Amino acid sequence: MSHVGCSRRGFMKVCGLTLGALTGGSSAAVTLPGPRRDFRRVALVAEGGRPLGCGDLKREQEYVFHYPYATTPCFLIKLKAPAFGPVALETEDGDRYEWPGGVGPDRSVVSFSAICAHRMTHPSESVSFIGYRDRPVGYLTGENRVVRRAGVIQCCSEHSIYDPASGAKVLSGPAPQPLAAVELVIQDDQLFAQGVYGGALFERFFETFGFRLAVEFGEDKVRQPVQDQALVAPIERYTRNRISC
């Protein structure tokens, strides 16, 4: 890692701390960049505002909700098997972090940003090129071996493959880092989201897709933090077209 890169990150951390002090910590997100960021604790709910617990999730069903902003989609998945942590991972900038693993009685419930780390492909109401695959898909490993495996998150835009059981680390493709992971906690049998691990791409996402997001969600909601609760829906209720590859 270059001395210039380290200096830049140090400068950004100082700026983040200063801004946090000036705002009195009242913003929904801690401004300090890095491998983990605190956001407002938000309850995950089903339709009608009913509290959502691990037992309400169908195994290997792909769910979508928005967090930490009203326009940033996330996946919620109850995997076939436990996802144990911690898992050591690294962002594109070389920042190391640990993903703590899944939550729930068998630690199988995981959540990740649905924004691909390569070109920010993401689910929208009209179409989704990225998603969880419960059936085997083929991909090329770093050792140039062809593998077929189920239980991965696949982006059909550029064929990046992520492993949700290992913190969404990259298994194949051009993605330069894992998907950002949503920190889940359980309180009184209800699921809550309260932070993000890894390399979040939110600002770049807003800059790239801001116009479309304003049309889809409303201009005032593009950067609006989610406040008290986030509606969780099966992917087929959220997007009209799911693209497989």
Side-chain angles (χ1 to χ4, degrees), residues 55-72:
D56 299 312
L57 303 175
K58 294 182 180 180
R59 201 169 293 278
E60 293 200 284
Q61 164 73 59
E62 179 184 345
Y63 296 87
V64 175
F65 66 100
H66 289 88
Y67 183 81
Y69 299 97
T71 58
T72 51

Side-chain angles (χ1 to χ4, degrees), residues 85-244:
V87 178
L89 299 168
E90 188 172 310
T91 70
E92 182 180 10
D93 291 334
D95 292 320
R96 298 178 181 178
Y97 64 100
E98 287 189 341
W99 178 68
V103 301
D106 63 354
R107 298 195 64 179
S108 64
V109 178
V110 299
S111 182
F112 303 98
S113 171
I115 301 171
C116 182
H118 182 224
R119 292 191 175 180
M120 296 182 292
T121 299
H122 59 280
S124 69
E125 290 184 355
S126 60
V127 66
S128 178
F129 287 87
I130 183 172
Y132 179 77
R133 314 303 186 203
D134 60 355
R135 297 182 180 181
V137 298
Y139 60 89
L140 191 66
T141 69
E143 294 77 30
N144 289 321
R145 291 190 303 110
V146 177
V147 173
R148 287 189 61 81
R149 175 182 162 182
V152 299
I153 294 174
Q154 179 186 45
C155 179
C156 291
S157 292
E158 301 288 341
H159 298 286
S160 291
I161 303 287
Y162 304 91
D163 183 5
S166 299
K169 73 176 181 180
V170 180
L171 297 176
S172 180
Q177 64 180 17
L179 296 176
V182 177
E183 181 179 16
L184 298 175
V185 294
I186 300 174
Q187 182 177 338
D188 298 328
D189 296 324
Q190 182 175 7
L191 283 163
F192 291 80
Q194 68 172 19
V196 175
Y197 288 94
L201 305 174
F202 303 136
E203 285 304 316
R204 197 187 310 172
F205 180 73
F206 297 145
E207 292 172 2
T208 303
F209 301 105
F211 179 79
R212 201 210 77 227
L213 295 172
V215 172
E216 185 174 338
F217 293 90
E219 188 173 354
D220 60 327
K221 290 188 177 180
V222 172
R223 298 171 181 263
Q224 182 182 46
V226 178
Q227 295 299 317
D228 300 316
Q229 60 185 34
L231 175 64
V232 177
I235 184 65
E236 58 267 19
R237 294 186 188 176
Y238 177 72
T239 189
R240 293 189 291 274
N241 298 289
R242 299 174 66 194
I243 306 300
S244 298

